[in-house]
């Protein structure tokens, strides 16, 4: 970690709370927002993995829409075009976790370039980041769009190395998604898992180098590593 | 379907009931068998997808063991080596669905070669099929082992075409797993989805050519298609 020259963040679930769509789901389907959001997210992830494996890439927006359609069919909920558009639109306006803005500011003070590497399309990433006013913190917003495959395919992680001109081990990759952290570790990144909700790490043959309970644990982690190396 | 020259079956969940391990799970963790089995199976599938995408293939047995370890850690259940071996061993002795033996016999009578194409290793497939005494019905037992990647990667489906010396569309591929049926359809197989439990088909851009509620719906389906073509 003392070797870190840049920090690359996952977006969905790491910087931004995917379950901030619960409120909009609740508005359309009263009392079922939380249940719908959980199933929707799980299916969205499955569709990114399955589409990638099949060689049938579609945009993250499309996978998100497909997952919502599945979820509503599965739960016997009527989904008209207006509700579908409204709920998918909520994914473009996700809320950052509370500690994120101040932590990004602090990390900028350490002089390391920050970037986002996300399954989202260029448009999705741009929308989410701008909507929350956090774009000034990032040197790069990197989408899987260019390689036409989703995480954890190594071609996705390679995009960050290329954009930053750094070796994988010089990049600290930060994700709350244990499967993403595993894929990043297999690729060669230095990896920090953000475990906000006391989750269980995945058994995929790759442990993270560090674990924090929230993004605000990062500045100390990096400072300590730098001091240890001095 | 009138063009069908062979029938290829998925194994886990299609011919054999993955939840026949509930009893063994219940013996080790009383009252929790069904819950454990469901989570274990979901995680097992996720690990096959994620490992494939990461380029980090392990055998199906290993993925199954890893998924069990995750499940027990997640549920705060102690898993000692003996329990782990006992539960993983249950996956080598899965029970065929009740209608399967008689239906395979009937299908043999139609003169079409039958095969299994499975995520399982050669050893796993062999163990499950022999344990149930159904090996005589199959001309080929095909494992993903040779390509070192799991379904729904198209290289897996190609193994069946190669083994049978047939074009994809000449093969009727039968699966209860909607994501597998979707991958097989994208590959080019003629596809029948076995929907035993009134499930929802996946939104992955590929509908099955036919749907049956159990394997015993197949002989009629094939006969009708042949008559329609005469």
């Amino acid at each position: 970690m003392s070797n870190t020259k840049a920090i690359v963040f996952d977006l969905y679930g790491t910087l931004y709370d995917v379950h901030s769509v619960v409120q909009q789901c609740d508005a359309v389907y009263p009392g079922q927002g939380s249940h719908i959001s959980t199933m929707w997210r799980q299916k969205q992830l499955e569709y990114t993995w399955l589409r990638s494996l099949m060689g049938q890439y579609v945009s993250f927006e499309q996978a998100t829409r497909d997952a919502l359609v599945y979820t509503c069919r599965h739960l016997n909920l009527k989904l008209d075009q207006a509700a579908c558009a409204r709920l998918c639109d909520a994914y473009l306006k996700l809320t950052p976790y509370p500690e994120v803005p101040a932590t990004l500011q602090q990390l900028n003070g350490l002089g390391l370039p920050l970037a986002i590497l996300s399954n989202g399309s260029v448009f999705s990433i741009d929308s989410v980041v701008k909507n929350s006013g956090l774009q000034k913190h990032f040197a790069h917003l990197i989408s899987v769009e260019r390689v036409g495959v989703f995480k954890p395919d190594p071609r996705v992680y390679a995009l960050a190395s290329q954009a930053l001109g750094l070796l994988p081990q010089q990049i600290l990759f930060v994700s709350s998604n244990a499967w993403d952290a595993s894929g990043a570790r297999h690729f060669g990144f230095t990896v920090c898992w953000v475990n906000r909700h006391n989750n269980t790490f995945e058994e995929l043959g790759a442990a993270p180098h560090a674990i924090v309970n929230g993004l605000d644990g990062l500045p100390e982690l990096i400072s300590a590593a730098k001091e240890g190396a001095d």
Side-chain angles (χ1 to χ4, degrees), chain A:
Chain A
M1 193 146 319
S2 60
N3 197 22
T4 296
K5 301 271 186 280
I7 309 177
V8 175
F9 297 92
D10 168 54
L11 190 156
Y12 298 104
T14 299
L15 298 176
Y16 294 85
D17 185 0
V18 289
H19 297 298
S20 50
V21 303
V22 166
Q23 209 179 336
Q24 285 90 339
C25 290
D26 247 334
V28 180
Y29 306 109
Q32 297 188 77
S34 175
H35 185 48
I36 292 169
S37 171
T38 301
M39 187 177 286
W40 184 9
R41 169 65 173 167
Q42 170 66 25
K43 218 21 106 173
Q44 177 198 53
L45 288 177
E46 288 183 13
Y47 285 2
T48 60
W49 303 332
L50 290 164
R51 285 272 189 183
S52 295
L53 271 177
M54 292 173 182
Q56 297 285 333
Y57 176 80
V58 292
S59 70
F60 189 71
E61 290 99 315
Q62 179 69 46
T64 300
R65 203 176 307 123
D66 291 344
L68 178 63
V69 168
Y70 173 92
T71 301
C72 289
R73 281 178 53 227
H74 188 71
L75 298 174
N76 273 318
L77 298 171
K78 195 175 139 35
L79 178 73
D80 61 29
Q81 273 200 322
C84 185
R86 180 178 170 183
L87 293 180
C88 289
D89 191 57
Y91 253 91
L92 301 176
K93 294 168 185 164
L94 297 175
T95 313
Y97 284 100
E99 82 280 14
V100 166
T103 304
L104 292 176
Q105 185 76 50
Q106 240 185 306
L107 291 172
N108 282 148
L110 296 178
L112 298 169
L114 309 183
I116 288 176
L117 174 66
S118 168
N119 269 342
S121 65
V122 171
F123 174 76
S124 279
I125 301 175
D126 223 53
S127 301
V128 173
V129 174
K130 282 196 177 140
N131 183 64
S132 63
L134 296 179
Q135 68 274 24
K136 63 181 175 197
H137 298 294
F138 298 102
H140 303 272
L141 301 178
I142 309 163
S143 161
V144 300
E145 222 175 274
R146 212 181 316 157
V147 285
V149 73
F150 292 106
K151 296 178 185 177
D153 188 296
R155 285 171 287 177
V156 174
Y157 301 116
L159 286 174
S161 269
Q162 289 154 17
L164 290 155
L166 293 172
L167 296 171
Q169 61 268 30
Q170 295 177 310
I171 291 173
L172 176 63
F173 184 79
V174 180
S175 181
S176 293
N177 295 293
W179 57 270
D180 184 22
S182 301
R185 176 75 205 261
H186 277 302
F187 175 72
F189 285 148
T190 303
V191 172
C192 179
W193 181 40
V194 183
N195 184 15
R196 285 192 183 85
H197 306 296
N198 198 22
N199 284 336
T200 308
F201 200 76
E202 301 288 359
E203 295 287 333
L204 288 164
H209 296 87
I211 303 174
V212 293
N213 298 324
L215 219 66
D216 45 359
L218 270 186
E220 199 189 316
L221 193 75
I222 292 164
S223 303
K226 281 198 182 282
E227 276 165 30
D230 286 344

